[in-house]
Amino acid sequence: MATTKEATGNKAHDLSYVHGAGMARGLTEQGLVFIDMAEMAKVFLAIQEKPETIIEAQLADNQLREIAQSTENFKNIDDTQKSEITKLFGNLFYQTQLFHPAIEGISLEKVAEGISDFAEQGPVPSEGMIKEYSAVMEVYQTKAEEEQKAQAKIAGEAGYTFLQENAKKEGVQVTESGLQYEIIQAGEGQCPTAENEVTVHYEGTTIDGKIFDSSYQRGEQISFGLGQVIKG
């Protein structure tokens, strides 16, 4: 039977320990059993000691995808590949999951300890430590949701104002559903129907002109069925 690790009284350390143990448990439950958890904890500490050695997240992700494709999604890996996979996931998680904004003054050493203890079936966080961690995360989540609602309200009001003003512009057409469009240059020939596939250039922007997707920037047109797009 596993022993229980009691709170130390150092809130940041206790939260960090539970965070590490929870991370290791979560990854295991997701089926990432090919990751050497104890070794990943060492990867975290090594990056902290020498941050210049970190593998950029996108590069680590790309390399993991390549390995996954050549090993049937990590099913057929040898010890060398397992070590490399652990290193890459360690670098990726260091940048994406490790430093939770809800934990002030997070201790990387305690996170690593929590991961190692889970991996080695050592002590587990006490009920009190888990409750404290859950309470902190709940407060953070509630605050984040409130901020998202406030931002959504601001964005909604800005969007409504934009549509009101845009509808007044010369050449802008408004459909029954409220969709607004403007024909910059009319095409010739038959119009495609919802059953047809079209190949077009496409560029999407926010109301302030920021591009979020562009086939022009990618240098290639996009093909899709008209029945797949949002009805206007």
Side-chain angles (χ1 to χ4, degrees), residues 44-60:
F44 291 159
L45 296 174
I47 294 174
Q48 178 178 245
E49 184 177 350
K50 293 183 178 181
E52 68 275 11
T53 64
I54 196 167
I55 301 173
E56 191 269 326
Q58 188 59 59
L59 178 58

Side-chain angles (χ1 to χ4, degrees), residues 162-225:
F162 171 83
L163 289 173
Q164 281 188 312
E165 296 302 317
N166 195 63
K168 300 174 185 177
K169 293 181 179 179
E170 184 178 353
V172 172
Q173 304 293 317
V174 183
T175 68
E176 199 173 303
S177 69
L179 172 73
Q180 296 181 7
Y181 70 93
E182 179 183 3
I183 299 176
I184 307 300
Q185 181 178 346
E188 297 180 352
Q190 293 183 331
C191 291
T193 67
E195 289 72 37
N196 296 135
E197 181 177 283
V198 296
T199 299
V200 298
H201 264 307
Y202 159 83
E203 186 165 86
T205 65
T206 56
I207 60 174
D208 60 1
K210 182 179 179 181
I211 298 173
F212 60 81
D213 190 17
S214 173
S215 62
Y216 294 102
Q217 291 182 347
R218 291 192 297 272
E220 59 180 357
Q221 294 178 309
I222 183 173
S223 298
F224 53 83

